[in-house]
Amino acid sequence: LSYIAVIADAQNISRAAEQLYISRPALNHYLVSLEKELGFPLFKRVQKRMIPTEAGAVYIQSAKEILEIKRQAYKAIDEINNCETGCLNIGITRVMGADMFHRVFPRFHKKYPNYTVHLLEGNVNELEESCLAGEIDFAFMGQSSIQSQLEHIVFSPCEILLALPVSHPFAKMAAPENLPYHTLDLELLKNDSFVLMSKATRIRTLADYHFMKAGFFPKIILETSLSSMAYEMVCQEVGPSILMESAIKDKSKAACFSLNPREQWKQSIAYRKGTIFTKAEKYFTELAKEYFEGLV
């Protein structure tokens, strides 16, 4: 099952053999023998690429599910034996997740010094796919899509705001600090040039939805995957942006408004149904939750 799963991911017998530390002829012989036993081909050979057949796709999916059941069973057995060694297979977003990890991991390492980490960085879409594929056990990420097939532990709601440079003509309409945010009609900003998050982010999807409701598509002077950069561009009076409240470090440097209707961004831990969390993993998630809730 492992051999077939690796061949499917590598799409090449030679690369799969290297990853499995066996010879190419041995792996090819195994595959040919299995296909003969099953009575149907698992792969089509197309210009040195191994493309799953329809039957092969079913076999591969089942193989991966069986291997995942085995891995979860071993985790449960390790937990029973109070195993103090292991590996965290986790995913994080490149900005908020990375900030969380470099603050939380030293505390985790102090309690579990024999644990190693397989860390995957990506946007929400990439992390969801990696979780579903079994490449990671769980991911710390922002709001997931409604189509997500993953389970979620949701916490730390954070409002999404329209942020204007303090020199902007409409900045004076913002509520005083420590009072509830006023709303501002986006249509009033149709002639502005915006600094927006990149199209790969969910915040950008929400922003585009609000622009569509306002009846215009904005001129974009800068797109970035870094909320910290977008915030700095607002502070430097480059243009307005739409950001998470937690990204706005100093509200005296930006005039902030709620969207209409108001939008909340929720941090979550995403995982496959049936995932077993070890004591070490539970401890790490508790530290992460504590960190994110401290930002609100």
Side-chain angles (χ1 to χ4, degrees):
L1 296 179
S2 297
Y3 287 0
I4 297 302
V6 172
I7 293 171
D9 290 338
Q11 294 189 342
N12 180 278
I13 282 282
S14 296
R15 284 199 298 269
E18 289 176 8
Q19 293 176 30
L20 292 165
Y21 300 102
I22 62 175
S23 70
R24 183 190 182 286
L27 182 59
N28 190 64
H29 176 74
Y30 169 80
L31 175 59
V32 170
S33 298
L34 178 60
E35 289 178 323
K36 185 176 179 181
E37 177 187 332
L38 294 171
F40 52 79
L42 297 175
F43 298 94
K44 295 178 286 187
R45 281 72 168 173
V46 181
Q47 295 181 346
K48 297 185 179 180
R49 292 180 63 205
M50 306 292 287
I51 308 299
T53 61
E54 185 176 356
V58 174
Y59 188 96
I60 292 159
Q61 180 61 33
S62 299
K64 290 184 175 181
E65 289 174 1
I66 293 168
L67 291 168
E68 178 59 21
I69 290 170
K70 174 188 173 184
R71 198 164 66 88
Q72 293 298 327
Y74 277 43
K75 282 178 65 177
I77 292 168
D78 285 345
E79 187 69 3
I80 291 170
N81 291 331
N82 292 317
C83 185
E84 295 297 322
T85 62
C87 179
L88 288 178
N89 296 288
I90 62 176
I92 59 173
T93 51
R94 293 186 176 94
V95 181
M96 289 193 70
D99 288 344
M100 173 278 293
F101 186 83
H102 86 258
R103 293 179 184 276
V104 163
F105 182 69
R107 293 174 62 188
F108 174 85
H109 179 66
K110 187 173 182 180
K111 185 168 183 177
Y112 291 94
N114 297 319
Y115 258 73
T116 58
V117 178
H118 166 222
L119 188 65
L120 180 68
E121 299 174 2
N123 60 40
V124 174
N125 293 330
E126 293 166 340
L127 295 178
E128 283 184 346
E129 290 175 5
S130 295
C131 258
L132 287 170
E135 296 169 1
I136 51 178
D137 289 326
F138 53 95
F140 298 90
M141 61 190 196
Q143 201 161 349
S144 64
S145 67
I146 58 174
Q147 290 84 16
S148 174
Q149 300 173 47
L150 300 169
E151 301 284 334
H152 291 268
I153 301 171
V154 179
F155 54 92
S156 186
C158 177
E159 188 168 0
I160 297 176
L161 301 174
L162 169 65
L164 305 183
V166 291
S167 62
H168 195 283
F170 295 127
K172 60 181 180 293
M173 298 171 63
E177 197 169 349
N178 299 322
L179 290 179
Y181 298 110
H182 293 165
T183 58
L184 182 69
D185 189 348
L186 264 181
E187 190 177 1
L188 296 172
L189 304 177
K190 63 183 179 182
N191 294 322
D192 282 69
S193 296
F194 279 77
V195 176
L196 294 179
M197 300 300 292
S198 64
K199 291 180 180 178
T201 63
R202 292 281 162 83
I203 290 183
R204 175 59 180 277
T205 301
L206 285 169
D208 286 347
Y209 168 75
H210 280 268
F211 287 124
M212 182 183 69
K213 281 186 59 182
F216 73 100
F217 187 77
K219 179 182 177 183
I220 301 172
I221 196 168
L222 174 66
E223 286 183 316
T224 175
S225 62
L226 301 175
S227 56
S228 57
M229 181 180 293
Y231 163 69
E232 286 298 330
M233 294 300 101
V234 174
C235 294
Q236 297 297 324
E237 304 184 355
V238 173
S241 187
I242 292 178
L243 296 166
M244 289 183 293
E245 185 178 17
S246 59
I248 302 168
K249 303 302 182 184
D250 184 349
K251 293 185 174 64
S252 68
K253 294 183 178 180
C256 299
F257 298 85
S258 291
L259 297 172
N260 187 18
R262 282 177 161 81
E263 297 278 6
Q264 278 196 332
W265 182 265
K266 295 180 180 178
Q267 203 66 32
S268 73
I269 301 170
Y271 57 95
R272 293 178 307 283
K273 187 175 182 179
T275 295
I276 296 171
F277 284 79
T278 64
K279 289 179 183 177
E281 290 170 339
K282 288 177 183 176
Y283 180 64
F284 191 92
T285 60
E286 288 167 4
L287 293 177
K289 184 177 180 180
E290 178 185 315
Y291 168 81
F292 284 121
E293 292 186 340
L295 297 177
V296 179

